[in-house]
């Protein structure tokens, strides 16, 4: 990694471990093994570094979600894959927890990538749910937009409850709970006109 | 307010505004108008003050939830009253956001009241849902325990999404969403044996 990369990675770690207010430029430099001059050559200061760190985290989160949501399976299966993917639950969501960082939320430039990531995620889930309805996998009573928001909220709330309990069990429980609610919307066979064989190349 | 009270209130405010790491004993003293000697007379230090502040917030939260959940109406109506009560949504949940405070979660004594508050809240909601099922207001397919956890998760996630968007709209949307999912479990009239007139003294 070159120096800007090391500075961004150190900022990501410290932002996670200490929060914005607890993260000093000096600590970032020390962890990155970079001097003060070098840091200010690449970044204008702590807000600039935090922006680069948050943007990188958001980009990674989007790439992972996109891969899981665009995989094979029905809408519900793809959402289950996404919700049940390996996560470091007890560390919390690296984007979600920024909403509890007063300094990050107070700076519109730092809040924007957080807001955009959630808007993007809700939009992706809404698309998957709408596709599931079109394919006849989900019934017409399911509203893709509000259900997508509820899924994102359950995920974020699951992290909160898991951290409070210092256990992954509450996270697993609420993911199962929301998938159970989704399952109740599974269209009964023959209740609509799914595109037969849409998932199998050879069928 | 006497000095210990003022110190606890100042700690509550600073914990909310700055987080544990950003809250200095000096700032607590200044805001409370108390001297260092007085502070250490009443509290052994910052962790002790934080414990008193968190415990007081948890007690208030329980009292408010208890009042709304034990009010009149069906199970769903009481839960709606609780979820839709006036909240300072953009400030976040004073208990939930502590789960994102690394120092609070790292201290078992400070984490305990957070964990207990969520466990208590889930238990209360489970009780209301179970009562709704017994009364025939909710159908038998609804699982009180996992639904209670999901409601708490949606509430906590709603705060996260609202703060990310700097708008109360996402909170309102996810509350409507989860109440919509609950409504789908409303028992159809005559599908069970509700205690007729259970809500009316004169019926």
């Amino acid at each position: 990694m070159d120096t800007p990369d090391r500075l961004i990675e150190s900022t990501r770690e410290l932002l996670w471990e200490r929060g914005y207010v607890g993260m000093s430029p000096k600590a970032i430099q020390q962890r990155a093994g970079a001097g003060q001059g070098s840091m200010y050559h690449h970044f204008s200061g702590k807000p600039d570094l935090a922006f680069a760190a948050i943007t990188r985290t958001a980009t990674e989160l989007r790439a992972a979600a996109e891969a899981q949501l665009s995989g094979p399976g029905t809408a519900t299966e793809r959402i289950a894959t996404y919700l049940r993917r390996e996560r470091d639950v007890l560390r919390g969501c690296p984007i979600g927890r920024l909403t509890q960082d007063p300094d990050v939320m107070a700076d519109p430039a730092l809040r924007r990538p957080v807001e955009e990531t959630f808007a993007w995620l809700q939009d992706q889930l809404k698309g998957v749910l709408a596709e599931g309805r079109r394919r006849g996998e989900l019934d017409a009573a399911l509203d893709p937009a509000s259900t997508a928001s509820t899924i994102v909220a359950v995920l974020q709330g699951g992290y909160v409850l898991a951290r409070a309990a210092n256990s992954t069990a509450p996270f697993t429980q609420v993911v199962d709970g929301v998938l159970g609610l989704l399952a109740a919307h599974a269209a009964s066979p023959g209740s609509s006109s799914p595109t037969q064989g849409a998932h199998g190349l050879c069928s």
Side-chain angles (χ1 to χ4, degrees), chain A:
Chain A
M1 287 200 293
D2 59 14
T3 305
D5 256 337
R6 288 204 314 277
L7 286 162
I8 292 172
E9 287 305 310
S10 301
T11 305
R12 292 216 293 179
E13 290 166 19
L14 287 164
L15 201 53
W16 202 327
E17 291 167 19
R18 307 302 300 155
Y20 191 92
V21 73
M23 171 179 83
S24 71
K26 186 122 211 110
I28 296 170
Q29 292 155 31
Q30 284 174 344
R31 192 173 288 215
Q36 180 168 322
S38 170
M39 189 186 100
Y40 287 105
H41 173 71
H42 295 292
F43 298 96
S44 64
K46 190 168 131 171
D48 192 24
L49 269 161
F51 180 78
I54 293 169
T55 305
R56 183 175 288 187
T57 298
T59 304
E60 288 180 3
L61 190 145
R62 284 193 192 201
E66 201 152 32
Q68 285 135 6
L69 291 174
S70 65
T74 64
T76 306
E77 283 164 358
R78 285 147 68 197
I79 290 172
T81 301
Y82 169 67
L83 293 176
R84 289 188 173 139
R85 74 156 185 235
E86 206 179 332
R87 289 168 191 273
D88 200 347
V89 170
L90 292 182
R91 284 191 84 193
C93 170
I95 292 296
R97 51 189 294 190
L98 293 171
T99 63
Q100 309 304 327
D101 193 316
D103 298 87
V104 173
M105 289 299 103
D107 183 335
L110 297 181
R111 186 176 62 75
R112 192 170 308 119
V114 177
E115 177 174 18
E116 286 173 355
T117 301
F118 282 127
W120 176 87
L121 184 55
Q122 288 174 67
D123 206 53
Q124 291 291 111
L125 288 165
K126 183 182 152 191
V128 172
L129 292 166
E131 194 187 340
R133 259 184 34 166
R134 276 199 308 276
R135 285 182 180 173
E137 297 158 10
L138 294 165
D139 66 34
L142 181 126
D143 175 50
S146 70
T147 306
S149 301
T150 302
I151 291 170
V152 177
V154 165
L155 193 62
Q156 291 300 317
Y159 280 114
V160 170
L161 298 183
R163 281 177 63 84
N166 197 27
S167 157
T168 59
F171 186 91
T172 307
Q173 187 185 30
V174 303
V175 163
D176 287 348
V178 78
L179 288 173
L181 291 168
L182 259 189
H185 282 283
S188 40
S191 69
S192 65
S193 333
T195 311
Q196 296 294 335
H199 297 308
L201 275 175
C202 303
S203 62

